[in-house]
Amino acid sequence: MADDDPLVVFTPSGKRGRFPKGTAILAAARKLGVDLDSVCGGRGICSRCQINPAFGSFPKHGIEALQSNISSWNAIEERYRSKRGLREGRRLGCQAKLLGDAVVDVPPESQVHKQVVRKYAADRKVEMAPATRLLYIEVDEPDMHDPSGDFERVRKALANQWEVFNAVIDFGLLKSLQSALRNGRWSATVAMHEASSGEYPRIVAIWPGFYDGAIYGVAIDLGSTTIAAHLCDLRDGSVLASAGRMNPQIRFGEDLMSRVSYSMMNPSGASQMTEAVAEAVDDVISDVACEADVDFSAILELVVVCNPVMHHLFLGIDPVELGQAPFALAVADAVCATATDLRLRNPPAAARAYLLPCIAGHVGADAAAVVLSEEPHKTADRVLVVDVGTNAEVIFADRNGVLACSSPTGPAFEGAQISSGQRAAPGAIERVEIDPSTKEPRYKVIGCDLWSDEKGFNAATSGTGITGICGSGIIEAVAEMRMCGILDKSGLIGSSSQTGSSRCRADGRTNLYVIRDAERQGENPIAVTQADVRAIQLAKSALYAGAKLLMEEAGASSVDRIVLAGAFGAHISPKHAMVLGMIPDCRLDNVVSAGNAAGTGARIALCNVDSRREIEKVVRSIKKVETAVEPKFQEHFVNANALPHAKDAFPNLANVLALSEQSFNLMGAVRGGDARRRRKRK
């Protein structure tokens, strides 16, 4: 392709390429191996190739995506929209053509291999004290000799019968109040929301007479990459359904600072991202409600946890101030709002939403939820909690208090920016083992319980194929390469002669390691390149440097226990994480996974109003460390580039396995700390 041909970048895959003007987006997607569905051969009949073109300035991609860079709406799309409907902003990939540079998002429903959003509800008992509860009241009938409004008599009944004083009612419910009281013969059941942040008690629903049905709440973990929701029965806290979706904001930028940049560069950027995430939250609420067969009208409360950028965008606040020092939050305290305030359509307009407090400009409500879930401040141990993601939150706690910071790890841990990388979906390699003697790999893919060297593997994966490698897979692959001597301490991949493996092959001036050879003509191999290793090094170095800063601030030279939080953390092997140096040295049996701890914290806050008051108090006492302006962060980052580390000892890891000190550097020295020895003498 010519250098002046239009460049198209597909999200969430990150795949890109140049194509001649007039190329259908579906054709470009197929050429690049993008997972975009179609069964009608591009005739505009099946509608499975729906896409979301994004418009604006994308400095990270070097793209100025104008409306005119995509062909105009055509008669086939108009016919489909008029007959079957097409969501605002959507196009058909078979009809929309490239006329200039473009950023194109492939929504989940248009993907053949649906993204696996692995955020499940952990089994956790919670003491029930929900903010929203049902109260049955008997109300005085109207009396012309003692004139007062129906609502005033409801307030009087709540005060006398339940000691709920100064109640208010959502404006939208006033029109149904009188009919409810009369149909109930002057008795009613109200859903009373008693907030934790100083608001008056609020009536959010009303039924005639006695009502003893279920009311529900949804706990939402609004991540930069994925959105997970858990539908809970507010009577007993049971989780009735869980669902997850990709965050559609990925098309505006994979990492948070890219989204802040998009907001800075595009006048309507923040509002576009707010609309996109509100629509996605509506969709995930719809998913859990449909799965549990629950009517939307009974969903009366939401609890949302998210990082500061997502927090602001969800609230409709421009996050531009979070992109520059001093990283000022518009609001740090807990926020209470209505579904209408948040542009949500599925819950009733009066449904209340509670957002946990943010800890700092780069440490958000999701980190507060992790603290609420794991309670590291309530133990005598030195505990490090790492919530691994595109933007990792790190928390250190001991008997002296809690410290927190955020580390910009980027999307490599999610499989992005990796040559054969992809999001977690059926067909993606998620586990890797390499034989230390033969240097031969074996692997497992999502959707199949067999290893690649086991009988029946090819048949079991024939439906999905082996499509790439996801985040947990690339971490295990790089760690296994280090453990078996394919990768040296500095992160260099050895040649076939240096490693004794024909799977190590020249790749320009560096080497790569082939995990899976092409088995059919035209199929690309799945390999780990030197650039892939570097991307993992940069991500893990940021994570380790953040942990190191907190430990130094606390005066701790080691940790007693490490908790890997987040959906991604649940799929990381502690041994492989330590081999890479993602986490400090610790006894391996003291490294545990907490699963989706932020989601668990959201459920606790949903089911227990006292826990909200507790975490609001704890957050005010947490010491924040800002990595972006901390002078020693860069020093720790550079030292952490080595695998596992250039200077820090890993005695607990050494007790389990021995890592080679061999160097593949042609100069004969390990990079990093020994580089100064290689200077030529004048």
Side-chain angles (χ1 to χ4, degrees):
M1 299 299 171
D3 290 342
D4 59 349
D5 282 340
L7 172 65
V8 59
V9 177
F10 287 93
T11 63
S13 67
K15 294 180 179 179
R16 58 169 56 209
R18 292 189 179 276
F19 297 89
K21 287 185 179 180
T23 300
I25 288 175
L26 175 61
R30 285 174 169 171
K31 189 74 173 177
L32 293 172
V34 173
D35 191 13
L36 179 58
D37 199 1
S38 177
V39 297
C40 71
R43 294 191 292 269
I45 299 171
C46 71
S47 79
R48 294 192 182 183
C49 64
Q50 292 184 28
I51 55 166
N52 271 324
F55 302 108
S57 180
F58 298 86
K60 182 176 179 179
H61 302 309
I63 285 178
E64 190 72 28
L66 306 176
Q67 297 270 358
S68 58
N69 290 1
I70 302 290
S71 63
S72 300
W73 191 262
N74 68 16
I76 293 176
E77 290 173 299
E78 181 57 40
R79 182 187 65 193
Y80 181 84
R81 180 172 63 173
S82 63
K83 290 186 176 181
R84 300 179 62 182
L86 198 62
R87 184 176 286 183
E88 187 69 26
R90 292 275 177 92
R91 297 290 303 274
L92 297 183
C94 62
Q95 302 302 310
K97 294 178 172 58
L98 289 170
L99 302 179
D101 295 348
V103 175
V104 177
D105 181 56
V106 180
E109 51 269 39
S110 298
Q111 298 171 18
V112 180
H113 304 103
K114 300 296 189 290
Q115 170 79 29
V116 179
V117 182
R118 299 188 281 194
K119 292 194 174 184
Y120 55 88
D123 186 15
R124 180 71 170 265
K125 291 183 178 179
V126 182
E127 182 180 344
M128 293 302 295
T132 303
R133 56 184 178 140
L134 296 180
L135 303 178
Y136 172 74
I137 53 174
E138 294 179 347
V139 181
D140 292 340
E141 294 186 37
D143 183 349
M144 67 172 56
H145 300 294
D146 183 18
S148 63
D150 284 350
F151 176 59
E152 284 69 32
R153 290 193 301 280
V154 167
R155 294 181 75 183
K156 179 181 177 182
L158 285 168
N160 292 338
Q161 297 165 33
W162 291 101
E163 295 187 346
V164 173
F165 302 100
N166 302 315
V168 296
I169 189 169
D170 186 82
F171 182 76
L173 289 177
L174 277 175
K175 59 186 177 182
S176 60
L177 175 64
Q178 290 193 313
S179 62
L181 291 176
R182 283 154 182 80
N183 290 337
R185 297 185 178 181
W186 305 107
S187 67
T189 303
V190 298
M192 180 62 62
H193 178 83
E194 298 183 73
S196 62
S197 300
E199 292 187 338
Y200 289 126
R202 180 178 293 270
I203 298 171
V204 294
I206 185 166
W207 296 266
F210 179 74
Y211 173 78
D212 194 27
I215 57 173
Y216 306 96
V218 182
I220 299 172
D221 179 8
L222 181 53
S224 53
T225 303
T226 56
I227 303 171
H230 308 295
L231 178 70
C232 301
D233 189 321
L234 293 181
R235 296 172 299 182
D236 57 14
S238 58
V239 178
L240 305 180
S242 297
R245 282 183 173 246
M246 293 294 292
N247 187 332
Q249 288 182 349
I250 287 175
R251 67 178 181 265
F252 303 105
E254 286 181 327
D255 58 85
L256 296 174
M257 287 303 102
S258 293
R259 294 179 203 175
V260 173
S261 176
Y262 185 82
S263 178
M264 291 177 175
M265 301 290 290
N266 299 278
S268 62
S271 60
Q272 290 178 47
M273 289 185 281
T274 294
E275 290 171 10
V277 76
E279 186 175 277
V281 169
D282 256 331
D283 287 342
V284 79
I285 292 172
S286 177
D287 291 343
V288 291
C290 291
E291 181 182 334
D293 194 21
V294 165
D295 192 274
F296 290 130
S297 64
I299 299 175
L300 299 179
E301 190 164 9
L302 309 174
V303 168
V304 182
V305 300
C306 43
N307 60 59
V309 173
M310 291 309 310
H311 174 276
H312 278 36
L313 288 171
F314 186 53
L315 292 175
I317 300 170
D318 194 323
V320 63
E321 293 299 331
L322 297 175
Q324 55 198 359
F327 314 111
L329 290 155
V331 56
D333 290 340
V335 173
C336 294
T338 66
T340 300
D341 294 333
L342 299 174
R343 302 167 178 80
L344 301 178
R345 298 182 303 274
N346 282 336
R352 303 296 291 176
Y354 173 83
L355 281 75
L356 269 69
C358 289
I359 296 173
H362 283 162
V363 188
D366 50 354
V370 171
V371 173
L372 178 59
S373 172
E374 295 304 304
E375 300 181 324
H377 54 295
K378 294 184 178 180
T379 175
D381 291 340
R382 291 165 295 186
V383 182
L384 187 72
V385 183
V386 182
D387 193 344
V388 187
T390 306
N391 192 66
E393 283 83 25
V394 186
I395 297 158
F396 179 87
D398 60 14
R399 62 173 57 90
N400 297 316
V402 183
L403 298 95
C405 75
S406 172
S407 283
T409 51
F413 287 155
E414 306 274 357
Q417 299 178 351
I418 302 298
S419 60
S420 298
Q422 66 167 85
R423 305 291 181 183
I429 294 173
E430 64 171 341
R431 297 287 313 280
V432 177
E433 290 182 355
I434 302 176
D435 187 291
S437 301
T438 65
K439 308 295 193 292
E440 286 296 300
R442 67 178 194 146
Y443 50 84
K444 293 182 78 172
V445 301
I446 297 173
C448 179
D449 293 330
L450 300 174
W451 285 89
S452 59
D453 58 353
E454 292 181 313
K455 185 178 180 180
F457 175 80
N458 290 334
T461 58
S462 61
T464 62
I466 292 89
T467 53
I469 187 166
C470 68
S472 60
I474 191 65
I475 283 177
E476 291 200 4
V478 174
E480 288 280 328
M481 290 166 65
R482 175 74 179 104
M483 289 159 60
C484 73
I486 292 171
L487 199 64
D488 70 11
K489 183 176 182 178
S490 71
L492 282 177
I493 302 174
S495 65
S496 58
S497 60
Q498 289 172 318
T499 63
S501 173
S502 62
R503 287 184 175 271
C504 293
R505 302 172 187 174
D507 181 31
R509 300 178 64 182
T510 59
N511 299 300
L512 56 74
Y513 175 77
V514 177
I515 294 176
R516 179 176 183 269
D517 274 315
E519 295 177 358
R520 293 186 295 274
Q521 189 68 26
E523 186 174 281
N524 293 324
I526 295 175
V528 178
T529 68
Q530 190 63 63
D532 296 338
V533 174
R534 184 57 178 161
I536 293 298
Q537 283 180 287
L538 293 175
K540 75 95 178 181
S541 297
L543 195 61
Y544 190 96
K548 186 75 173 179
L549 278 179
L550 297 188
M551 291 168 64
E552 285 188 345
E553 187 71 26
S557 59
S558 62
V559 296
D560 301 314
R561 185 161 55 92
I562 297 176
V563 179
L564 298 175
F568 182 60
H571 295 272
I572 299 174
S573 153
K575 180 176 73 173
H576 291 103
M578 203 169 291
V579 166
L580 289 183
M582 288 175 62
I583 54 177
D585 185 65
C586 182
R587 284 184 51 175
L588 283 176
D589 55 1
N590 285 347
V591 182
V592 299
S593 169
N596 183 19
T600 301
R603 284 169 49 216
I604 293 171
L606 177 66
C607 296
N608 189 299
V609 71
D610 295 328
S611 69
R612 303 183 189 185
R613 300 185 181 103
E614 177 186 355
I615 194 59
E616 289 169 12
K617 181 179 179 181
V618 170
V619 162
R620 288 192 287 269
S621 69
I622 293 176
K623 185 173 183 179
K624 302 88 177 175
V625 176
E626 184 53 67
T627 58
V629 296
E630 183 62 44
K632 294 200 72 175
F633 180 82
Q634 187 63 27
E635 177 187 337
H636 292 318
F637 179 86
V638 171
N639 288 331
N641 274 198
L643 305 173
H645 200 273
K647 294 184 177 180
D648 290 354
F650 279 70
N652 287 291
L653 181 62
N655 289 336
V656 178
L657 58 90
L659 296 175
S660 170
E661 292 295 322
Q662 179 184 9
S663 169
F664 297 135
N665 189 303
L666 296 179
M667 301 286 292
V670 176
R671 287 180 174 180
D674 293 334
R676 61 184 182 277
R677 301 177 188 173
R678 303 197 303 273
R679 293 176 183 168
K680 293 182 179 180
R681 294 182 180 179
K682 294 182 178 179

